[in-house]
Amino acid sequence: MTHDATGSRPDRGRRLARILLATLLLVAVAIGLWNAHSNADRSLAARLDSVTSGLRCPTCSGQSVADSESDLARRMRAVAAEQLAAGRTPDQVKTYFVQRYGRQVLLDPPLSGLGLVARLVPFVLLVAGGVIIARRLGRRRGILTGAVFTLGLSAVLVGTGVLGPVIRQSAYPPPTLPAGAAASPTASAQRTTGTHAALEALQSGDARTAEREARGELSSARHGSRRWQDALLVLGLAQHQLGDKQAEGTLQRFLNAAPKHPAAPMVRKLLAGG
Amino acid sequence: MRRLLITVLAVAALAGLGTTLTRALTDGDGSASGADGAQQSTGLLDRPAPSLSGPTVMGGTAALSRYRGKVVVVSIWASWCAPCRAELPVLAAAHDRYRPSQVAFLGIATRDSRSGARTMVTRTGLTGVPSILDTDGSIAIDWGATGVPETFVVDRAGRIRAHRVGAITAHWLDDAVRPLVAR
Amino acid sequence: MIAVVGSFGLCIGLCGALATTGLWVIAARRTRAAADPRAATMIIAARQAGWLTLFGAALAVAAMEIALIGDDFSLTYVAENSSRATPLLFRITALWSALDGSLLLWLLILSGHSAVLAHRIASLSERSRRPDGAVGMVAAAVVSAVAASFFAVTLISTRPFARVLPAPDDGPGPNPLLADHVAMAVHPPLLYAGYLGLVVPFGYALAALITGGARQNWMTAVRRWVLAAWLCLTAGIALGAWWSYAVLGWGGYWAWDPVENASLLPWLTSTALLHAARRGRAASGLWTVTLAAASFLLVVTGTFLTRSGIVASVHSFTRSDLGPALLVLLLGWAGVTVALVILRGDRLAAAPAPRSTDLLSRGTALLLNNVLLVGLAITVLVGTLVPVASQAWGGPQLSVGAPYYNRIAVPVAFGLLVLVVLGTIGRRRSAGPAALRRRAALPAGVAAVVTAALGLSGARGVAPVLALGLGAAVVTVAGRQVFGVLRGTRPRGWWSRRSAVGGHLAHAGLAIALAGIAASSSWAASSEATIRPGGWVTAGGSVVQLHRVGRHTSDGRTETAAELSITPTGGSTRPATAALTYYPGRSQTVPVPAIAGTWRGDAYVTVLAIADDGSTVTLRVSDEPLVGWLWAGAAVMVTGGLLAFAPRRGVGPVRARRRIEPTAADAIGAAPDGLAPADLPTPVTLRRTWVNRS
């Protein structure tokens, strides 16, 4: 469509109006999507649902823990809800169940062996699809479309987690409910905070949470108290696991503050080993 | 050339599919999972046992940590479970048979009321074995149990070395406990 | 006596199927050898043999039904799957409630397809005997060969008419889940009709490969078979999803269960086939042959997975000896297909490059549609087989479930919605970017308005908001096209143009269904609580109050019912009953859900447990927004498919040899069956096409 430089006023006005309308709509869409994204349900119920729909009920024929009505599934939901309420992340809760029921309790294939094949198949298909599109549509546009198709959908897949996250069966002892938890579930909810939570996080491999919890404990505990020493120890171990350069300093502070702590020999060995 | 490649690929794919499905048909019965997908082995095998403590059915308290250095047989049961009624006398007899300095027995009464569990304990003669009350079933889940009865054998160092779903026999118990005692 | 009749019927069926195959092969060879007059007798004989096969299967089914209705417990099958107390309807449906009997239904429908195809091919051949007609005959031969192989498998590996002596007085009845609801009478036959409808395109695909049928437009002839099968599959799958949600209390409508995947796979490939096999010589190329063959092979794979017991599924039959036999059947036909494709594939016409060079044309959209659908199908197949393979090769046990499939299915669903819009507004020969922009303005605007409105009003999550926006765009373009067609029709009415409307209606239905799925997956809320009579539970915007707990026993079951008042989100309060039904004969407890819904969503209540003394009830309440849109969308899809099933305007049976007049409607209508003016075949090719349309 060609216009001469001096398009008639009503034409220009209409075009301007259309562009304005389009921009307005685009802005509204952007704000709307951003709003929807930030409103995304992060409540306990939603997190519980995301955890339980990724777990398989061990005694049902392949149903997920979220869907199944069996007694075991109900109990697993209750345990998961309790742990989430106590502050654990969905990944930690999944790790908890994997440690007890084996890797097959996860409804997501692992990142090794046949599971890796399953996870890679969509990418292989995307590449094949891109090649097919490129060949069918002719040289220039075909290659462009094929590339956009493959890369675009690959990005979407990676973003939604086709290649992760990885839930490992940890080498550490399984995180356990503190003593007396069976008698008083609410009591256990109170106790899995602070140093306990930090220690459990450390044992399940989640060093970041451990660090965060330990720092919280350090700030709230009385300086030099037993609780403070424990928190310092956990902080140092967490930093060490994360490869943080401050780890050495923290652990040394711990040794200076509590040379007779039962964990001191282990820490000394750790510092000596480097 | 291209046709040869495609032929080879196609034949390989068909052969692979055929072999896989044939194998799935023939040995589906003997594997670790039954045809209904029910799981048969715990994820805690050869791993440290979860902590275990709490009030018992008969009114005291018990804890797994008290038996450190001994082989411990942990049995999950419930009064409403028919195979458990057959299994608990076996446990009680084994408790009498083994020396308390070497082998200890601990029970978990899961999803049960105190009165029902108590009746079961007295009826089957399991009074010598402390059974921890697990009303909401969270302890059973902590141990990776899928139902009742389930039995775990913990070695002296605190690792789970044997696991069985379903009622145990004295024979199975002996086979599981003896090597751990000797070690 | 009945048992003998039934077994005899199966034998007749097998012999009939073998005879049909042989006769069609001979007829085809004689026809190709330039109009041999003896071919006519062969064709007549083949047609009769086809009816004989159907008669045999019908005899077997009739025998079993008579035994079921008449409570003849001397047959093992009746003794295990029926009882005197079962109502008549469920005694009839007990035919397909267990493995052996369902095979009889399978054979009946399969031989029905074989007989109908034989009849049509014979009728066409009577009217004009051309060497090209051999494709149809070879196709009929293939179909009856498939039927023969299934008859053989049934006779060798199962014994549906085995007898038990002395005959027991009564039986335990069918699985209570399968004797509860009238859906049992509709869902399996509908699903089987869908599965087996795909055997005809399979036959034509192999026939095209065997005869090197590059010259004929065989796919146009077959397209209606594909559409019919697709219709039955869509309806069957939707009904199954509704049944598991509303009646069986399984908590959801789709669980990516291996048997459910097995039904989805042929649906995906047949949808791809419908879009690939649209018109012209490209429709009969190697790609459509592959799709058609793959669809039926996936059906057989699905049957194998369901009946062999190697997958863990809530749907699967008990393990039986049928597994190895079905595996041999599957590998046999797959091997034949692969061999034919490799050896004869180059004889088929290569699909010509799309004429339009524009990126945003319908041709591109169709290509991407096929890529996405087939890609999803392959992924679902891999995901279903990986746990089987891992177990078979002694590896660690794997589970593949909803997280894995959703990651792939959700982007594909979005992609398909976008492609519908692009394909509908794009033309085969684009009139230029400006025209495209004009056509795109309205749907883009609608999508933007809906997305923005939802997002700004506080809806949660990007995916459902986008899904609803894109869905609105699809409904807009579909509606616009339908409106254009209706407006351009002569005063005779839209009914004569219904086939043009059908495809757009199906697309709109798909968009509505996907919107329902997106909303009910992302915005669902559920809660569990133990309450006493008088207490209430809330979830999302729904409120459920418990009034009473009652227990009553009747004919073989004990039902403990919780009487409730349910208030769904934005709806009025209404009474409902949720129950736990215990069947002592099978030692099985079945939950019966209570559902109260509006167009905005359902409140879904199940009883998890009831205290022994009836004092407390543990309820699970789910708020499922927009789930009704899923059923509505499926219904619209099926309606659209039914409309598209109509013969093309101006084209009827072979006698109507008129030229199609291009009208304004054709110029506007972007219907899947409509012809653009420049694409009209010449009179010569037109006649040839009609002759082969069966």
Side-chain angles (χ1 to χ4, degrees):
Chain A
M1 198 152 67
T2 58
H3 335 267
D4 43 338
T6 59
S8 58
R9 279 238 193 109
D11 276 343
R12 256 192 296 153
R14 239 178 291 149
R15 252 196 353 162
L16 203 61
R18 253 181 277 157
I19 294 178
L20 211 60
L21 185 61
T23 322
L24 195 67
L25 276 179
L26 266 174
V27 168
V29 167
I31 299 180
L33 284 178
W34 177 252
N35 210 17
H37 173 72
S38 52
N39 273 346
D41 204 346
R42 294 200 179 88
S43 69
L44 183 66
R47 276 181 289 145
L48 179 66
D49 204 51
S50 88
V51 167
T52 54
S53 60
L55 289 174
R56 179 189 156 152
C57 164
T59 53
C60 323
S61 315
Q63 281 181 304
S64 72
V65 167
D67 286 340
S68 170
E69 318 240 316
S70 72
D71 191 55
L72 179 59
R74 273 177 51 211
R75 286 188 282 138
M76 287 173 77
R77 286 199 292 268
V79 168
E82 193 182 297
Q83 297 195 358
L84 284 173
R88 290 199 185 168
T89 67
D91 278 354
Q92 285 175 312
V93 178
K94 284 189 185 170
T95 310
Y96 175 87
F97 283 107
V98 166
Q99 286 171 341
R100 280 150 181 78
Y101 290 96
R103 191 62 186 68
Q104 64 265 37
V105 79
L106 280 186
L107 276 175
D108 236 341
L111 273 180
S112 59
L114 271 175
L116 184 63
V117 170
R119 289 204 186 218
L120 288 181
V121 156
F123 290 104
V124 170
L125 290 176
L126 277 179
V127 170
V131 166
I132 292 174
I133 294 171
R135 292 184 62 170
R136 293 280 304 152
L137 289 185
R139 294 218 59 201
R140 264 184 316 132
R141 293 176 189 265
I143 294 180
L144 181 65
T145 320
V148 166
F149 174 80
T150 307
L151 292 173
L153 280 180
S154 300
V156 169
L157 287 183
V158 170
T160 53
V162 171
L163 290 182
V166 185
I167 308 285
R168 266 178 243 105
Q169 241 173 320
S170 169
Y172 290 98
T176 59
L177 298 174
S184 53
T186 43
S188 81
Q190 291 160 10
R191 284 182 213 168
T192 48
T193 50
T195 323
H196 278 274
L199 202 58
E200 284 164 14
L202 198 61
Q203 284 172 342
S204 64
D206 187 350
R208 288 203 191 281
T209 314
E211 192 196 329
R212 201 178 57 234
E213 295 280 5
R215 279 193 198 280
E217 274 288 278
L218 269 179
S219 55
S220 66
R222 187 174 55 85
H223 185 98
S225 69
R226 186 52 184 269
R227 214 175 107 201
W228 181 86
Q229 292 169 356
D230 287 343
L232 195 58
L233 169 67
V234 175
L235 177 63
L237 290 176
Q239 287 172 333
H240 178 83
Q241 210 176 74
L242 285 172
D244 194 343
K245 283 197 279 276
Q246 297 177 21
E248 214 176 81
T250 313
L251 289 173
Q252 196 58 52
R253 268 175 74 199
F254 166 76
L255 282 178
N256 294 344
K260 292 207 176 48
H261 195 281
M266 182 263 286
V267 174
R268 279 193 201 98
K269 211 180 293 181
L270 198 65
L271 284 177
Chain B
M1 183 55 209
R2 205 174 116 207
R3 189 190 277 199
L4 185 65
L5 190 67
I6 296 179
T7 316
V8 166
L9 268 166
V11 169
L14 270 182
L17 188 68
T19 341
T20 308
L21 292 177
T22 317
R23 286 181 68 123
L25 274 177
T26 47
D27 64 21
D29 293 314
S31 65
S33 142
D36 63 349
Q39 195 197 321
Q40 297 284 322
S41 63
T42 179
L44 288 175
L45 211 54
D46 293 333
R47 288 170 181 278
S51 76
L52 180 61
S53 63
T56 64
V57 169
M58 304 308 273
T61 58
L64 180 61
S65 49
R66 285 187 208 152
Y67 304 105
R68 177 83 22 112
K70 296 185 201 173
V71 174
V72 189
V73 177
V74 178
S75 174
I76 305 184
W77 57 271
S79 65
W80 42 261
C81 146
C84 307
R85 260 175 246 144
E87 181 196 59
L88 291 188
V90 172
L91 269 177
H95 171 78
D96 293 331
R97 208 169 54 237
Y98 284 103
R99 287 194 298 177
S101 60
Q102 287 191 312
V103 183
F105 287 78
L106 208 53
I108 302 176
T110 186
R111 304 286 283 157
D112 218 346
S113 63
R114 188 185 284 261
S115 54
R118 197 177 282 202
T119 318
M120 178 82 144
V121 163
T122 37
R123 193 171 296 169
T124 53
L126 204 63
T127 34
V129 173
S131 287
I132 296 176
L133 206 50
D134 174 31
T135 330
D136 63 357
S138 52
I139 300 186
I141 288 192
D142 205 34
W143 279 70
T146 53
V148 280
E150 254 180 74
T151 310
F152 299 82
V153 180
V154 183
D155 71 2
R156 295 178 196 265
R159 286 179 181 270
I160 297 181
R161 291 292 181 197
H163 167 248
R164 180 161 171 123
V165 173
I168 59 170
T169 58
H171 185 74
W172 179 88
L173 199 54
D174 290 341
D175 280 344
V177 168
R178 210 157 278 149
L180 301 176
V181 172
R183 209 173 289 179
Chain C
M1 174 59 189
I2 283 282
V4 172
V5 169
S7 306
F8 189 55
L10 285 179
C11 292
I12 295 179
L14 175 61
C15 299
L18 287 171
T20 320
T21 313
L23 287 168
W24 277 123
V25 168
I26 299 174
R29 293 179 80 179
R30 289 194 181 158
T31 308
R32 293 202 85 176
D36 189 331
R38 284 179 300 165
T41 31
M42 284 296 121
I43 293 173
I44 296 173
R47 176 201 274 171
Q48 310 292 34
W51 292 123
L52 184 66
T53 319
L54 179 58
F55 173 71
L59 195 61
V61 168
M64 185 61 90
E65 287 287 17
I66 291 175
L68 281 167
I69 298 175
D71 285 332
D72 179 358
F73 291 103
S74 65
L75 284 181
T76 316
Y77 185 79
V78 180
E80 288 174 358
N81 294 297
S82 181
S83 73
R84 292 189 193 276
T86 317
L88 178 65
L89 175 66
F90 297 112
R91 262 182 284 159
I92 296 176
T93 66
L95 175 70
W96 51 81
S97 68
L99 183 64
D100 291 351
S102 71
L103 270 181
L104 294 180
L105 179 66
W106 183 273
L107 288 172
L108 177 69
I109 299 180
L110 180 52
S111 40
H113 279 93
S114 170
V116 167
L117 181 63
H119 179 74
R120 294 193 84 115
I121 300 290
S123 312
L124 282 173
S125 301
E126 274 165 18
R127 292 189 187 109
S128 89
R129 200 113 5 87
R130 309 172 63 89
D132 302 355
V135 170
M137 296 182 199
V138 176
V142 171
V143 171
S144 46
V146 171
S149 57
F150 272 101
F151 270 107
V153 161
T154 309
L155 278 169
I156 294 174
S157 303
T158 69
R159 307 190 55 215
F161 293 101
R163 310 195 59 195
V164 54
L165 292 166
D169 272 334
D170 201 353
N175 187 325
L177 288 176
L178 301 178
D180 209 21
H181 195 268
V182 73
M184 179 59 184
V186 183
H187 169 63
L190 203 55
L191 213 51
Y192 285 10
Y195 287 151
L196 292 168
L198 291 172
V199 75
V200 172
F202 177 72
Y204 270 94
L206 289 196
L209 285 169
I210 292 172
T211 62
R215 286 170 313 209
Q216 295 104 31
N217 247 339
W218 56 269
M219 183 46 81
T220 339
V222 160
R223 198 163 176 279
R224 296 183 71 203
W225 287 96
V226 178
L227 186 56
W230 180 89
L231 268 173
C232 294
L233 261 185
T234 313
I237 295 175
L239 186 60
W242 178 84
W243 191 13
S244 91
Y245 168 81
V247 179
L248 298 176
W250 282 347
Y253 43 78
W254 190 261
W256 294 107
D257 181 87
V259 171
E260 292 172 2
N261 294 350
S263 70
L264 182 67
L265 288 170
W267 185 86
L268 288 172
T269 49
S270 56
T271 310
L273 181 58
L274 275 179
H275 286 83
R278 295 201 45 242
R279 73 177 64 77
R281 296 183 44 170
S284 308
L286 185 58
W287 176 239
T288 48
V289 162
T290 316
L291 272 182
S295 297
F296 187 68
L297 289 176
L298 285 172
V299 167
V300 180
T301 311
T303 304
F304 168 71
L305 287 176
T306 311
R307 294 170 197 277
S308 64
I310 61 175
V311 287
S313 163
V314 289
H315 295 81
S316 48
F317 296 102
T318 51
R319 185 181 276 241
S320 72
D321 294 328
L322 202 50
L326 275 178
L327 181 60
V328 169
L329 193 151
L330 168 65
L331 290 176
W333 282 110
V336 165
T337 311
V338 167
L340 279 174
V341 167
I342 292 175
L343 294 172
R344 300 286 187 97
D346 46 4
R347 281 205 207 175
L348 294 174
R355 258 170 293 183
S356 166
T357 53
D358 197 332
L359 222 49
L360 294 177
S361 68
R362 188 181 314 149
T364 319
L366 289 175
L367 173 66
L368 284 170
N369 162 292
N370 266 210
V371 169
L372 281 179
L373 282 172
V374 172
L376 179 62
I378 296 178
T379 311
V380 171
L381 182 63
V382 166
T384 310
L385 289 179
V386 155
V388 173
S390 181
Q391 189 182 318
W393 292 99
Q397 238 199 319
L398 299 178
S399 310
V400 177
Y404 175 80
Y405 294 115
N406 285 337
R407 266 189 236 119
I408 321 291
V410 169
V412 165
F414 276 117
L416 287 175
L417 284 179
V418 169
L419 286 176
V420 168
V421 176
L422 282 181
T424 315
I425 63 178
R427 307 290 295 165
R428 207 167 307 103
R429 276 162 226 223
S430 182
L436 201 65
R437 250 184 290 147
R438 238 181 312 122
R439 281 196 293 270
L442 182 60
V446 167
V449 166
V450 170
T451 312
L454 282 173
L456 292 171
S457 67
R460 299 188 311 253
V462 169
V465 166
L466 263 183
L468 281 165
L470 278 177
V474 168
V475 172
T476 312
V477 286
R480 186 169 64 182
Q481 294 299 141
V482 169
F483 191 59
V485 164
L486 296 183
R487 207 170 35 149
T489 312
R490 284 201 288 263
R492 210 157 7 117
W494 66 273
W495 185 250
S496 59
R497 287 284 293 159
R498 61 189 185 277
S499 63
V501 165
H504 298 295
L505 209 55
H507 288 150
L510 177 71
I512 298 173
L514 286 178
I517 294 176
S520 61
S521 321
S522 313
W523 294 337
S526 74
S527 54
E528 296 174 27
T530 310
I531 54 176
R532 299 177 176 281
W536 66 83
V537 187
T538 62
S542 315
V543 179
V544 174
Q545 191 176 25
L546 174 68
H547 292 302
R548 248 169 36 91
V549 180
R551 178 176 304 196
H552 65 272
T553 313
S554 70
D555 60 306
R557 57 186 190 185
T558 309
E559 194 178 86
T560 317
E563 287 170 36
L564 315 158
S565 309
I566 308 184
T567 317
T569 318
S572 57
T573 315
R574 63 200 82 164
T577 312
L580 276 179
T581 313
Y582 176 65
Y583 293 88
R586 292 211 169 213
S587 201
Q588 200 175 345
T589 308
V590 171
V592 178
I595 308 179
T598 63
W599 66 268
R600 282 181 63 176
D602 279 0
Y604 186 92
V605 186
T606 40
V607 176
L608 293 182
I610 297 186
D612 288 330
D613 54 357
S615 58
T616 61
V617 173
T618 311
L619 286 179
R620 186 179 189 189
V621 178
S622 285
D623 183 50
E624 313 254 352
L626 298 192
V627 72
W629 288 26
L630 173 54
W631 320 126
V636 172
M637 270 209 291
V638 170
T639 314
L642 282 171
L643 287 179
F645 199 73
R648 261 189 252 178
R649 206 180 121 263
V651 175
V654 177
R655 58 178 176 272
R657 294 188 176 199
R658 284 197 317 274
R659 195 200 294 244
I660 296 181
E661 305 280 355
T663 62
D666 283 310
I668 298 172
D673 267 312
L675 297 176
D679 267 55
L680 284 179
T682 66
V684 174
T685 50
L686 199 59
R687 244 176 277 136
R688 191 181 289 169
T689 310
W690 285 344
V691 163
N692 281 324
R693 190 191 317 284
S694 54

